[in-house]
Amino acid sequence: MPASLARRRRAHLRTPIRAVDVEKVRSLGDLLTAFQSTSIQARNLGRCLEVWENALTDPKRPTILLGLSGPLIAAGLRKVLRDLVDWGLVDVVVTTGAVMYQDLYQTPQVGGVHWKGTPLADDVALRDLYIDRIYDTYVDELKFEETDRAIGRLTEQFPARPASSREFLQFLGERFTDPGSILATAARRGIPVFSPALIDSSIGIGLTLHYQKHRGGPRFILDAVRDNFELVQILTKSPRTAVVYIGGGTPKNWINDGIVMANYAFGREGEGHFYALQITTDVPHWGGLSGSTLDEAQSWGKISKTATRAMAHVDASIGLPLLAGALWDRRRVWQPRERLAFRWTGDELDLTREPAGGRPRRPRAKG
Amino acid sequence: MPASLARRRRAHLRTPIRAVDVEKVRSLGDLLTAFQSTSIQARNLGRCLEVWENALTDPKRPTILLGLSGPLIAAGLRKVLRDLVDWGLVDVVVTTGAVMYQDLYQTPQVGGVHWKGTPLADDVALRDLYIDRIYDTYVDELKFEETDRAIGRLTEQFPARPASSREFLQFLGERFTDPGSILATAARRGIPVFSPALIDSSIGIGLTLHYQKHRGGPRFILDAVRDNFELVQILTKSPRTAVVYIGGGTPKNWINDGIVMANYAFGREGEGHFYALQITTDVPHWGGLSGSTLDEAQSWGKISKTATRAMAHVDASIGLPLLAGALWDRRRVWQPRERLAFRWTGDELDLTREPAGGRPRRPRAKG
Amino acid sequence: MPASLARRRRAHLRTPIRAVDVEKVRSLGDLLTAFQSTSIQARNLGRCLEVWENALTDPKRPTILLGLSGPLIAAGLRKVLRDLVDWGLVDVVVTTGAVMYQDLYQTPQVGGVHWKGTPLADDVALRDLYIDRIYDTYVDELKFEETDRAIGRLTEQFPARPASSREFLQFLGERFTDPGSILATAARRGIPVFSPALIDSSIGIGLTLHYQKHRGGPRFILDAVRDNFELVQILTKSPRTAVVYIGGGTPKNWINDGIVMANYAFGREGEGHFYALQITTDVPHWGGLSGSTLDEAQSWGKISKTATRAMAHVDASIGLPLLAGALWDRRRVWQPRERLAFRWTGDELDLTREPAGGRPRRPRAKG
Amino acid sequence: MPASLARRRRAHLRTPIRAVDVEKVRSLGDLLTAFQSTSIQARNLGRCLEVWENALTDPKRPTILLGLSGPLIAAGLRKVLRDLVDWGLVDVVVTTGAVMYQDLYQTPQVGGVHWKGTPLADDVALRDLYIDRIYDTYVDELKFEETDRAIGRLTEQFPARPASSREFLQFLGERFTDPGSILATAARRGIPVFSPALIDSSIGIGLTLHYQKHRGGPRFILDAVRDNFELVQILTKSPRTAVVYIGGGTPKNWINDGIVMANYAFGREGEGHFYALQITTDVPHWGGLSGSTLDEAQSWGKISKTATRAMAHVDASIGLPLLAGALWDRRRVWQPRERLAFRWTGDELDLTREPAGGRPRRPRAKG
């Protein structure tokens, strides 16, 4: 073999795959580290951990935005998500309305429960029993009605003026004082939670009743464009940004478009997101945004040309606990990370850093 | 074999599969009819046609809502979608912002074009060339900027008051007078077009610039909850409803939730959607709304307990032209169908029927 | 904009997408041509047609190998597949045993029927009724037993010696004289049909009973490696090869590996397959062979470095009739193509060309 | 609410979902146990563990058959698979040829390595470098040639007579004495390994060269039907059977069909498989065997009407280490399980049980 050929071969054959040895796996941190030396989606999941850790330890302290979609509460991820917020592993949450609605449904104030069901259920029979099905999980429609009433009552207390989804969700989070709640934890920690399609959820039912009741008079107006204006400020005041997408949908698209808007229309001097990871079950070849690669996003300037990025094709019910558990195992790495302090005067943001509170507070929730 | 066993067997073995004979297929109508006697997704696509036809010929004249998500303009479906609107095969459109934005990008006023590209492109190189990639298709960022400017100018002309996405999109549709445009055709035909997550699209960029410019003073406020209130009225004033979902996402969820809201919170006396069909590439077993079965939706009351429904797993770029072409072949069936007339006084809807205009007008568009 | 930038942009923005206009689609040929100017999977399906046509009109007359897997007979594709063989659009067939078994089940000698069923069936109840389910299709276990008996009787007449699956399937095809049968049509046309995993099918049941009966004495031995030897000869004696994969599985892998074996181990002077198209519902990112890209196959030498290739992600029940119908519309293009004559002396192949029989014979089958 | 309605509701709302708490997960056993109280695919994966444990602790001692397909060695699963064999968690292995070929490629005798690559590689360039790509992993074609030569040399030593794939693979396994090898470990443990489509793999290249060399004279004949006969005996002599499918393909189909063949054609007095679990990335709605539900298999009698079964949609690179690690954590449960002793006289099987060797031997492999 000519030397030049051998050399070019060696350039490609540098890093061997190492087989996973489950006898040596003592923790989820071990497992994900082992995955980094394998292939296919295990490697991708391992790389997601690596990208997240890089974002957490970057001395420029990127702002980390978390996008949430899919049946995450049904999937048993409420505690995991609440922990990510409490531990400071994310700085901003963007979510479908459904995730937050089901988070509130489980607060002790309502007492809702997600129940084990079956995908082969007789749905017409369930209808008669006031049971709603989410694939293999049941929710209680009567408790949904209680959730609606609770949200409806609180909406009446909200000031009669235009506001963003972030303000309204913070208002709710402050009033559902459940340490196990994602929304309440975010409110306590000062983490902004946006829901750019909030009307497209059961939370929207209460808002629509409020609309009808106060129609023509002063009322709370969900001023959707204000969400954009607030997001632009967050991005503009962040020297760097990182994104963690659980699923796709509106949250992924909105966060990705946000950075384009900030850079192109609002004079932000910066690049696309600098770190990007996604857990998804969608695929690129349907051409939709949810399954589109993070490379494709680079052509749009959504993701920085030099971003580190990883995309793992795995159901979030499996992939997210693995990631979160591995991050917990390595908490010494990110415990010193400063927190962000978001202070809002109307729609105006003042964004500063605060020292980390030492080791993360022992979460009070039981899950 | 005992007679009872033979009888029970016969009850299951009633309708034979018939092999497709492409020599006898003279039209897309023929093909889809043939598909109805096959299996797997061809049968499902054939059933989608059947469900749609049933909705179109139901003497109670159901209101047909079309939900749109995915890269539909890139996929070459602009003419097909515009035809569905023009021919009266749908009465209400609910869409992601991106579909309408890319519809406007292609109007002669902007002159944008979708170009053939490749999924293996060098995305960092494309970035430098102001070319954005949608899987295997390129769009021109410079023309996107023109689209933004055109939308921005028009937004300045929109009244400084709260409005729904439907009002704003109708306003845009009336000003982009392209017979090939989906939005312009809807405006001309009086078909309402909603985008419940409108801020999550490039249209949102212009709206955010408008927000910033008029901040503190009077301005157009995208009053998201008003979308819900308008939708509830459409559903409440429709004796029956049918849904056609191309993809999933916010449009599917919002239309499905809408009927629950109307029935449960607004005293509509009716059931869930009476006809339902979906073309999707998502799958049920991830538990998300986009891929969830129309059976599951029955447990929620979103789909009527006695609804006819069909779900075909096929990319819309292939499945939708087949459906639309088959419907065109059978235009005699639906040509006599009355049109709906939507008359809005502020946020108040007056909904009446009008006689069909005979044969559908020869579409003027060139595609 | 600098001229060099403009020039580089133009190099990428050359071919516009053209929207499908179903009013102008008069045939499946029209539709697939229109698809070639769209995007996402419609374009890919259009390109599959183009690749197949290129193979059919290449003056070097490539040998075209068809790989078959999946529930193709249930899907109503028996007539389409039989036509591809009869019309000479493929020269060699490689198949799972199940496809050929279900082809024989439908011959008038057995009288089996595929029946419309439902994926929501009570499978335990079906078991008691001797009904077997293939997703949404039922087959009759009692007719399966008749099929087994018919195959079993014929196996007894097969010479007591080692033979390839090709010889055995040809033997069966000659004895099930149904013009609608794929296998019988292949036998009549002299098209070799291989099934490299034939024992993994119901045909294997009869073979195993034959084994048991003649154990220790002379018997028909399915000499699996002889299949490889015969395939190598076909490939070696073909100046060029083309592959058409419906699904993946063993047929795709075996045909792909075959050319590597012929080139690397048997001194064939040639490249990988020169034309390659696949219709599949699998995806690349699981790393399996069925969903792997035709690019990946180039690294192995399975597909020529300069091959034209296309891969469409669509269910075969929809995609294959579209392709076959478009090819039928364009039959003038491929009617003059010469036929291959396979003459076997034992395991030795003599491969020659014969003039096309003018226009394809009117198929006698009813489907 | 009427009492009867409340009672029927309670019957459905019995078992609450419990959120995963990663702070409390000390091991993979903990995690999978937690998954059993969640939803979507995490629950399914948890149920796979439960089904496997049930099979392992059933006092009737079912024979457990493992079906393997997909890029498992590339995925870093060689050690995990070897452990499953060594620990006695499976009794019979059915595999594609590729898995065993790549297992042998990694033996020290050959010294092959799987290397980290990228799915975005330039495949034509790799071709020139003698590097073959498996999605994101590279293998060395020069080492593949060494593997071929090693297998070729051994084939020459194999007796010149018809034999099953099981005999041939055992022969190879005895000669590649690598404690880290799946095949060698199976040979040492006396676990039969079948490959019903062995010719469809690189192992087939050596066999075809052997065929050519000894053509006309005495030679090793891969007597495919003998595989079926041997499998039937294993199933017939097992009072109960369990199946573990990693992926689908020929291994799943062959094991599923095998029990039908044994029961229907060979007078086995028993039911379908009594325990069944599958990890797959395929989906049911394409109608293929790989993705078909275990319920569908019940209609065929492949899976017992009363079987416990579970199917998790997750990539094996992630799902299998989780399962194997959880089983290792719970090794006290299955350590007392008796081993099976397979003794073959020609094609005749004598199947007996042997006491467990106490705790599993410390695996000698390094992975």
Side-chain angles (χ1 to χ4, degrees), chain D residues 1-291:
Chain D
M1 183 184 296
S4 73
L5 177 59
R7 195 171 52 245
R8 279 187 297 138
R9 269 170 53 86
R10 275 196 304 273
H12 285 82
L13 306 180
R14 276 210 171 117
T15 316
I17 301 299
R18 278 199 297 270
V20 176
D21 184 346
V22 294
E23 293 180 272
K24 292 183 182 153
V25 169
R26 304 258 171 272
S27 67
L28 298 184
D30 282 1
L31 182 72
L32 275 273
T33 303
F35 277 178
Q36 290 170 351
S37 294
T38 66
S39 292
I40 325 288
Q41 299 310 318
R43 190 201 299 171
N44 285 341
L45 193 61
R47 292 209 57 242
C48 284
L49 175 66
E50 192 185 352
V51 172
W52 202 336
E53 283 193 323
N54 287 350
L56 287 166
T57 54
D58 181 337
K60 295 202 176 166
R61 209 229 168 274
T63 301
I64 303 180
L65 298 102
L66 174 69
L68 298 178
S69 71
L72 304 178
I73 307 296
L77 298 172
R78 190 175 185 243
K79 174 70 167 61
V80 166
L81 291 171
R82 174 242 171 265
D83 286 349
L84 294 180
V85 167
D86 192 49
W87 300 343
L89 299 183
V90 298
D91 300 304
V92 176
V93 176
V94 180
T95 180
T96 63
V99 173
M100 288 307 132
Y101 181 83
Q102 293 183 34
D103 175 59
L104 297 180
Y105 161 86
Q106 281 203 11
T107 53
Q109 283 157 274
V110 175
V113 171
H114 286 70
W115 304 93
K116 276 196 186 182
T118 161
L120 302 174
D122 177 342
D123 289 299
V124 169
L126 291 183
R127 176 82 194 118
D128 291 332
L129 298 172
Y130 306 99
I131 296 172
D132 300 337
R133 182 166 71 85
I134 302 169
Y135 188 55
D136 61 356
T137 304
Y138 299 149
V139 286
D140 182 345
E141 209 168 288
L142 304 182
K143 287 290 181 184
F144 265 24
E145 293 180 15
E146 283 188 40
T147 316
D148 293 343
R149 281 194 294 271
I151 295 173
R153 276 193 304 272
L154 291 171
T155 306
E156 290 299 315
Q157 300 169 21
F158 194 83
R161 61 162 174 82
S164 65
S165 73
R166 194 260 322 151
E167 289 177 280
F168 182 67
L169 289 172
Q170 182 180 325
F171 177 88
L172 291 183
E174 288 164 355
R175 277 147 191 88
F176 283 89
T177 52
D178 170 14
S181 155
I182 306 164
L183 197 54
T185 302
R188 182 168 51 81
R189 284 292 197 180
I191 301 280
V193 179
F194 292 91
S195 185
L198 185 62
I199 55 164
D200 173 32
S201 74
S202 294
I203 295 177
I205 296 181
L207 297 179
T208 311
L209 287 167
H210 182 86
Y211 178 100
Q212 187 187 39
K213 184 173 172 186
H214 299 278
R215 202 174 154 213
R219 61 182 166 90
F220 157 41
I221 295 176
L222 183 61
D223 181 3
V225 182
R226 183 163 168 169
D227 282 45
N228 282 16
F229 185 72
E230 292 184 0
L231 176 68
V232 163
Q233 288 179 79
I234 292 173
L235 299 171
T236 303
K237 296 178 185 201
S238 299
R240 275 190 173 171
T241 54
V243 294
V244 175
Y245 296 134
I246 309 305
T250 290
K252 177 186 177 186
N253 198 46
W254 191 67
I255 296 173
N256 263 0
D257 275 7
I259 200 82
V260 173
M261 177 163 55
N263 290 344
Y264 148 64
F266 287 84
R268 177 175 178 266
E269 293 182 6
E271 285 208 77
H273 301 300
F274 212 76
Y275 303 92
L277 67 99
Q278 184 175 7
I279 292 181
T280 183
T281 53
D282 205 343
V283 301
H285 56 242
W286 309 125
L289 199 285
S290 294

Side-chain angles (χ1 to χ4, degrees), chain A residues 70-71 98 102 123-124 126-128 130-136 139 141 144-146 148-149 162 196-202 204-205 207-209 211-212 215 219-229 232-233 249-255 257 260-261 264-266 281-282 284-289 293 295-306 314-315 345 347-348, chain B residues 70-71 98 102 123-124 126-128 130-136 139 141 144-146 148-149 162 196-202 204-205 207-209 211-212 215 219-229 232-233 249-255 257 260-261 264-266 281-282 284-289 293 295-306 314-315 345 347-348:
Chain A
Q102 292 183 34
D123 289 299
V124 169
L126 291 183
R127 176 85 194 115
D128 291 332
Y130 305 100
I131 296 172
D132 300 338
R133 181 166 73 83
I134 301 168
Y135 188 57
D136 61 355
V139 286
E141 208 168 291
F144 264 24
E145 294 181 14
E146 283 189 40
D148 293 343
R149 279 195 296 270
L198 185 62
I199 57 165
D200 174 32
S201 74
S202 293
I205 296 181
L207 297 179
T208 312
L209 287 167
Y211 179 101
Q212 186 187 41
R215 200 176 156 209
R219 62 181 165 89
F220 158 41
I221 294 176
L222 183 62
D223 181 3
V225 181
R226 182 163 168 168
D227 282 45
N228 283 16
F229 186 72
V232 163
Q233 289 178 80
T250 289
K252 177 185 178 186
N253 198 46
W254 192 66
I255 296 173
D257 275 7
V260 173
M261 178 163 54
Y264 148 65
F266 287 84
T281 54
D282 205 343
H285 55 242
W286 308 125
L289 197 286
T293 65
D295 298 1
E296 178 177 315
Q298 290 181 312
S299 75
W300 296 77
K302 297 168 179 177
I303 304 291
S304 161
K305 286 192 263 183
T306 55
V314 61
D315 187 30
T345 311
D347 60 9
E348 183 88 32
Chain B
Q102 293 184 34
D123 289 299
V124 169
L126 292 182
R127 177 83 194 116
D128 291 333
Y130 306 100
I131 296 173
D132 299 338
R133 182 166 71 86
I134 303 168
Y135 188 55
D136 61 357
V139 286
E141 209 169 288
F144 265 24
E145 292 181 15
E146 283 189 40
D148 293 344
R149 279 195 295 270
L198 184 62
I199 55 164
D200 174 31
S201 74
S202 294
I205 296 181
L207 297 178
T208 312
L209 286 167
Y211 179 101
Q212 188 188 38
R215 201 174 154 213
R219 62 182 165 90
F220 158 42
I221 295 177
L222 183 61
D223 181 2
V225 181
R226 182 163 167 170
D227 282 44
N228 282 15
F229 185 71
V232 163
Q233 288 178 79
T250 289
K252 176 185 178 185
N253 198 46
W254 192 66
I255 297 173
D257 275 8
V260 173
M261 178 164 55
Y264 147 65
F266 287 84
T281 53
D282 204 343
H285 56 243
W286 309 124
L289 199 285
T293 65
D295 298 2
E296 178 177 317
Q298 290 181 312
S299 75
W300 296 77
K302 297 169 179 175
I303 304 291
S304 162
K305 286 192 264 183
T306 56
V314 61
D315 186 30
T345 311
D347 61 8
E348 183 90 31

Side-chain angles (χ1 to χ4, degrees), chain B residues 91-107:
Chain B
D91 301 304
V92 176
V93 176
V94 180
T95 180
T96 63
V99 173
M100 288 306 131
Y101 181 83
Q102 293 184 34
D103 175 59
L104 296 180
Y105 162 85
Q106 281 203 10
T107 53

Side-chain angles (χ1 to χ4, degrees), chain B residues 31 46 60 68 78 82 93 99 120 125 129 136 147-148 157 173 179 207 266 269 289 292 294-295 299 312 321 337 343:
Chain B
L31 183 73
K60 295 202 176 168
L68 298 178
R78 191 173 183 246
R82 174 241 171 266
V93 176
V99 173
L120 303 174
L129 297 173
D136 61 357
T147 316
D148 293 344
Q157 301 169 21
L207 297 178
F266 287 84
E269 294 182 6
L289 199 285
S292 64
L294 301 170
D295 298 2
S299 75
R337 187 170 179 258
R343 284 186 197 84

Side-chain angles (χ1 to χ4, degrees), chain B residues 10-274:
Chain B
R10 274 196 304 274
H12 284 81
L13 306 180
R14 276 211 170 116
T15 315
I17 301 300
R18 279 199 297 270
V20 176
D21 184 346
V22 293
E23 292 180 272
K24 293 184 181 151
V25 169
R26 304 257 170 273
S27 68
L28 298 184
D30 281 1
L31 183 73
L32 275 274
T33 304
F35 277 178
Q36 290 170 351
S37 293
T38 65
S39 291
I40 323 291
Q41 299 310 318
R43 190 201 298 172
N44 285 341
L45 193 62
R47 292 210 56 241
C48 284
L49 175 66
E50 191 185 352
V51 171
W52 203 335
E53 283 192 324
N54 287 349
L56 287 165
T57 54
D58 181 336
K60 295 202 176 168
R61 209 228 168 274
T63 301
I64 303 180
L65 298 102
L66 174 70
L68 298 178
S69 71
L72 303 179
I73 307 297
L77 297 172
R78 191 173 183 246
K79 173 70 166 63
V80 166
L81 291 171
R82 174 241 171 266
D83 286 349
L84 295 179
V85 167
D86 191 49
W87 300 344
L89 299 183
V90 298
D91 301 304
V92 176
V93 176
V94 180
T95 180
T96 63
V99 173
M100 288 306 131
Y101 181 83
Q102 293 184 34
D103 175 59
L104 296 180
Y105 162 85
Q106 281 203 10
T107 53
Q109 285 157 275
V110 174
V113 170
H114 286 69
W115 304 92
K116 276 195 186 183
T118 161
L120 303 174
D122 177 342
D123 289 299
V124 169
L126 292 182
R127 177 83 194 116
D128 291 333
L129 297 173
Y130 306 100
I131 296 173
D132 299 338
R133 182 166 71 86
I134 303 168
Y135 188 55
D136 61 357
T137 303
Y138 299 148
V139 286
D140 183 345
E141 209 169 288
L142 304 181
K143 287 289 180 185
F144 265 24
E145 292 181 15
E146 283 189 40
T147 316
D148 293 344
R149 279 195 295 270
I151 294 173
R153 275 193 303 272
L154 292 171
T155 305
E156 290 299 316
Q157 301 169 21
F158 193 84
R161 60 162 174 82
S164 65
S165 73
R166 194 258 326 151
E167 290 177 280
F168 181 67
L169 288 172
Q170 182 180 325
F171 177 87
L172 291 183
E174 287 165 355
R175 276 147 191 88
F176 283 88
T177 52
D178 169 15
S181 154
I182 305 164
L183 198 54
T185 302
R188 182 168 51 82
R189 285 291 197 181
I191 300 280
V193 179
F194 292 91
S195 186
L198 184 62
I199 55 164
D200 174 31
S201 74
S202 294
I203 295 177
I205 296 181
L207 297 178
T208 312
L209 286 167
H210 182 86
Y211 179 101
Q212 188 188 38
K213 184 172 173 187
H214 300 277
R215 201 174 154 213
R219 62 182 165 90
F220 158 42
I221 295 177
L222 183 61
D223 181 2
V225 181
R226 182 163 167 170
D227 282 44
N228 282 15
F229 185 71
E230 292 184 359
L231 176 67
V232 163
Q233 288 178 79
I234 292 173
L235 299 171
T236 304
K237 296 178 185 203
S238 300
R240 276 190 173 172
T241 54
V243 293
V244 176
Y245 296 133
I246 310 303
T250 289
K252 176 185 178 185
N253 198 46
W254 192 66
I255 297 173
N256 264 359
D257 275 8
I259 200 82
V260 173
M261 178 164 55
N263 290 344
Y264 147 65
F266 287 84
R268 176 175 179 265
E269 294 182 6
E271 285 208 76
H273 301 300
F274 211 76

